[in-house]
């Protein structure tokens, strides 16, 4: 079952929305690969994507928070930092131990959790805040 991005999650910023759409694509693509038995071939590509994503996307998102005086920036930033650490830890484990089933499973869990717990909750709260700021101006 694929999880799809929808307008409901839009933060009203094309760049950030595009980054969110891309992470949905990456998660769905990785889950499909696992179901087809090719997760091992993709896991490092996916982790490399996530390393890049955490740098550029979080920077853009936090900039949007500062611009809109988002009150929960500190807490949101902590979630970003934790995800960065988790992604780097997963990548390091695979580099040390090689690709294995546990590494693939942990990566997929981290990604699905990120979608469900962060993008659908914390980023949605940010989206609502930005919309309310725009509707006032
Ligand atoms: Fe976020």
């Amino acid at each position: 079952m694929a999880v799809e991005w929808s307008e409901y999650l839009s933060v009203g910023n094309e760049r950030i929305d595009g980054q969110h759409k891309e992470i949905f694509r990456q998660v769905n693509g990785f889950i499909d690969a696992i179901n087809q038995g090719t997760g091992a071939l993709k896991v490092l590509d996916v982790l490399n994507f996530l390393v890049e994503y955490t740098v550029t996307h979080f920077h853009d998102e936090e900039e949007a928070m500062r611009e809109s005086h988002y009150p929960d920036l500190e807490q949101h930033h902590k979630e970003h930092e934790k995800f960065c650490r988790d992604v780097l830890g997963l990548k390091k484990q695979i580099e040390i131990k090689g690709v294995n089933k546990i590494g693939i499973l942990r990566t997929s869990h981290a990604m699905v959790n990120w979608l469900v717990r962060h993008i659908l909750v914390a980023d949605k709260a940010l989206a609502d805040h930005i919309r309310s700021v725009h509707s006032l101006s």
Side-chain angles (χ1 to χ4, degrees):
M1 185 196 74
V3 194
E4 306 290 347
W5 185 89
S6 77
E7 279 299 323
Y8 162 84
L9 295 170
S10 174
V11 297
N13 173 317
E14 261 180 48
R15 189 173 154 91
I16 293 173
D17 286 348
Q19 290 162 339
H20 280 158
K21 288 174 193 170
E22 180 60 23
I23 184 135
F24 275 76
R25 266 196 297 278
Q26 292 280 339
V27 173
N28 288 325
F30 189 46
I31 301 297
D32 283 348
I34 291 172
N35 289 336
Q36 288 160 16
T38 58
L41 299 173
K42 282 202 76 176
V43 67
L44 260 180
D45 284 350
V46 161
L47 285 167
N48 284 327
F49 160 79
L50 289 174
V51 170
E52 177 98 350
Y53 167 87
T54 51
V55 174
T56 54
H57 172 60
F58 294 169
H59 171 270
D60 291 344
E61 222 178 64
E62 290 176 22
E63 196 168 85
M65 289 184 215
R66 279 187 288 274
E67 278 172 8
S68 64
H69 305 285
Y70 187 53
D72 290 331
L73 193 156
E74 194 64 31
Q75 177 58 34
H76 200 126
H77 174 71
K78 280 185 188 155
E79 289 189 29
H80 286 171
E81 275 190 327
K82 184 182 181 312
F83 190 66
C84 288
R85 279 196 304 275
D86 290 349
V87 166
L88 289 173
L90 287 164
K91 193 178 170 199
K92 196 166 186 185
Q93 282 299 305
I94 286 184
E95 282 166 357
I96 293 168
K97 297 184 178 170
V99 174
N100 57 33
K101 276 190 180 163
I102 290 189
I104 295 168
L105 263 181
R106 284 189 178 146
T107 302
S108 66
H109 279 167
M111 293 178 88
V112 171
N113 272 339
W114 185 251
L115 278 192
V116 173
R117 295 197 181 155
H118 187 85
I119 297 183
L120 299 184
V121 180
D123 289 346
K124 170 65 180 151
L126 171 63
D128 291 345
H129 168 76
I130 290 175
R131 277 186 207 182
S132 72
V133 168
H134 283 172
S135 69
L136 292 174
S137 60

